[in-house]
């Protein structure tokens, strides 16, 4: 297992993280504990959950596992969880990034996990109502009082990442260390603004949905019904899974992934995971599985490194056409050569 810095912190974590969104919903407690045991045995250290996963059951399952395992195993585990989304459907204060809600959400997460300190507490999404300063001041206080060790962001846009870091620095507050975005071969748009913002501020990426909801596992075929009991088979006609399946680019990417997988004699999922793991600013890739077989296959990508040629083939197949302000002439406008002058590409 490869280990990397947790974004801008001094903490090290495994390059693959175990996501627990299926725990308590698609994976029962016994199966969840089996995954946690196998993950730890393989050298995995970062476990990611959230207070809304299975209505808090996911955190409870992780907490029971921590309590039932010897210290030499669990002492190595880095626990990450999240708060922001509704924890009560009738209370207007049981949602968002206000000091009040985050205080209650963090306290509840600590109780369910059965620990005194959460290693990485992440705000699950931007809150347009709560002043950002209020959120950052709460997180700073949570670090200083020992309730959390680090904090991160999730599903923030580029300008929101930059604003959070700038405001924390201006006020002398503890800064975030990571961002958790969706990132995979079918969702590369974060490379336009969000990845550069994380590079600028030193935040590490913890990509979720690296397999695009299962689209990149190779189990789906074009113009054929989705296999039974898969996410796409139960997605409904308005879901993004169905929208993706209608795009030519999707099948170009899937075919390239399959071809490389065949050449390497590995699974398509392992190829897709290795691509994300090899991208700029990525700290740890969050994997999630309903079954032990899926989990074992994903974990096999832990030490897989694609060649430069393989990465380029995947980059070319998954490239998103873009012009101003992210491509074309705009790239030249932002470039500069040390020798001065216009440089190549200007046609002057």
């Amino acid at each position: 297992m490869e280990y990397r810095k947790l974004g801008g912190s001094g903490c090290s974590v495994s390059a693959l993280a175990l996501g627990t969104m299926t725990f308590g919903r698609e994976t029962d407690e016994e199966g969840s504990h089996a995954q946690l045991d196998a993950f730890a045995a393989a050298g995995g250290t970062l476990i990611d959950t959230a207070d809304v996963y299975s209505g808090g059951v996911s955190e409870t399952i992780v907490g029971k596992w921590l309590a039932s395992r010897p210290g030499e195993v669990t002492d190595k585990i880095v626990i990450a969880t999240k708060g922001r989304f509704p924890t009560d459907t009738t209370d207007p204060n049981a949602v968002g990034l206000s000091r009040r809600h985050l205080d209650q959400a963090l306290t509840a997460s600590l109780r369910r996990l059965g620990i005194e300190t959460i290693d990485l507490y992440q705000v699950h999404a931007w809150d347009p109502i709560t002043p950002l300063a209020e959120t950052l001041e709460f997180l700073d206080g949570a670090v200083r009082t020992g309730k959390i060790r680090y904090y991160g962001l999730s599903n923030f846009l580029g300008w929101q990442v930059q604003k959070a870091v700038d405001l924390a620095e201006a006020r002398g507050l503890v800064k975030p260390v990571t961002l958790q975005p969706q990132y995979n071969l079918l969702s590369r748009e974060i490379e336009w603004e969000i990845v550069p913002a994380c590079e600028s501020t030193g935040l590490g990426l913890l990509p979720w949905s690296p397999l695009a909801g299962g689209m990149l596992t190779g189990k789906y075929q074009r113009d054929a019904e989705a296999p039974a009991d898969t996410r796409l088979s139960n997605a409904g006609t308005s879901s993004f899974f169905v929208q993706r399946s209608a795009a030519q680019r999707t099948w170009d990417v899937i075919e390239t992934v399959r071809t490389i997988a065949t050449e390497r004699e590995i699974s398509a999922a392992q190829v897709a995971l290795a691509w994300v793991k090899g991208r700029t600013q990525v700290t740890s890739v969050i994997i999630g599985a309903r079954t032990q077989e899926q989990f074992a296959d994903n974990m096999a990508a832990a030490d897989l490194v694609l060649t430069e040629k393989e990465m380029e083939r995947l980059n070319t197949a998954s490239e998103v056409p873009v012009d101003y302000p992210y491509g074309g002439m705009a790239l030249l406008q932002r470039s500069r050569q040390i020798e001065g002058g216009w440089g190549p590409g200007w046609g002057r």
Side-chain angles (χ1 to χ4, degrees):
M1 178 67 71
E2 178 187 357
Y3 299 93
R4 300 173 177 179
K5 277 181 53 181
L6 183 64
S9 79
C11 178
S12 296
V13 296
S14 51
L16 291 184
L18 180 58
T20 66
M21 190 169 67
T22 64
F23 288 10
R25 187 180 62 183
E26 298 168 276
T27 310
D28 62 17
E29 184 171 314
E30 182 180 358
S32 300
H33 284 191
Q35 283 192 26
L36 289 162
D37 284 336
F39 182 69
T45 60
L46 180 58
I47 295 173
D48 180 78
T49 185
D51 60 355
V52 293
Y53 290 171
S54 302
V57 176
S58 175
E59 287 184 329
T60 299
I61 289 175
V62 173
K64 288 182 178 179
W65 178 77
L66 291 170
S68 64
R69 297 304 187 265
E72 59 265 26
V73 173
T74 56
D75 284 351
K76 298 176 183 179
I77 298 298
V78 177
I79 295 294
T81 192
K82 299 178 282 292
R84 189 277 192 201
F85 292 132
T87 53
D88 186 297
T89 58
T90 60
D91 182 358
N93 285 314
V95 61
L97 301 182
S98 70
R99 184 179 287 109
R100 187 180 193 279
H101 176 61
L102 285 181
D103 184 40
Q104 293 180 336
L106 175 56
T107 299
S109 288
L110 286 166
R111 182 181 66 251
R112 285 189 291 265
L113 289 164
I115 55 181
E116 295 181 354
T117 305
I118 289 168
D119 294 298
L120 178 66
Y121 191 66
Q122 301 158 100
V123 291
H124 215 152
W126 175 263
D127 180 353
I129 295 177
T130 302
L132 182 57
E134 178 179 338
T135 302
L136 297 180
E137 286 168 359
F138 171 81
L139 294 167
D140 177 85
V143 171
R144 298 183 190 280
T145 57
K147 292 184 177 180
I148 65 176
R149 293 189 172 93
Y150 308 101
Y151 76 90
L153 315 172
S154 181
N155 302 311
F156 272 43
L157 298 175
W159 70 267
Q160 295 165 348
V161 169
Q162 192 69 53
K163 183 174 182 177
V165 174
D166 289 347
L167 185 56
E169 288 181 338
R171 298 200 173 202
L173 305 174
V174 176
K175 296 186 295 184
V177 299
T178 55
L179 172 73
Q180 188 174 141
Q182 180 180 187
Y183 191 26
N184 55 60
L185 278 162
L186 298 180
S187 296
R188 293 185 56 186
E189 288 83 353
I190 70 166
E191 296 171 5
W192 299 347
E193 287 270 3
I194 297 173
V195 172
C198 289
E199 289 179 310
S200 171
T201 55
L203 270 62
L205 296 175
L206 303 176
W208 59 267
S209 194
L211 298 178
M215 289 291 292
L216 296 171
T217 61
K219 60 188 174 185
Y220 299 113
Q221 302 292 329
R222 190 170 193 174
D223 300 324
E225 287 190 17
D229 196 28
T230 62
R231 290 187 182 182
L232 187 54
S233 66
N234 301 317
T237 58
S238 63
S239 76
F240 73 97
F241 296 110
V242 174
Q243 295 171 22
R244 280 176 170 168
S245 68
Q248 177 61 43
R249 173 176 169 270
T250 294
W251 300 104
D252 291 341
V253 171
I254 290 174
E255 182 57 33
T256 304
V257 170
R258 284 176 177 155
T259 300
I260 293 174
T262 299
E263 294 169 354
R264 283 286 197 110
E265 297 184 338
I266 56 179
S267 72
Q270 291 168 29
V271 173
L273 289 170
W275 179 86
V276 180
K277 186 161 60 77
R279 300 300 288 170
T280 300
Q281 290 300 115
V282 170
T283 288
S284 188
V285 181
I286 300 174
I287 63 171
R290 291 180 298 165
T291 67
Q292 284 296 110
E293 292 74 20
Q294 291 173 343
F295 169 78
D297 182 74
N298 288 353
M299 284 298 294
D303 298 316
L304 176 62
V305 178
L306 300 177
T307 66
E308 290 186 12
K309 187 173 182 179
E310 289 168 337
M311 290 289 284
E312 184 56 36
R313 288 163 64 187
L314 292 167
N315 291 343
T316 299
S318 62
E319 184 177 6
V320 182
V322 62
D323 205 333
Y324 190 90
Y326 301 113
M329 177 180 65
L331 291 178
L332 294 173
Q333 291 173 337
R334 291 193 292 271
S335 68
R336 177 190 165 187
Q337 59 179 13
I338 196 168
E339 297 88 352
W342 290 103
W346 280 95
R348 289 176 177 264

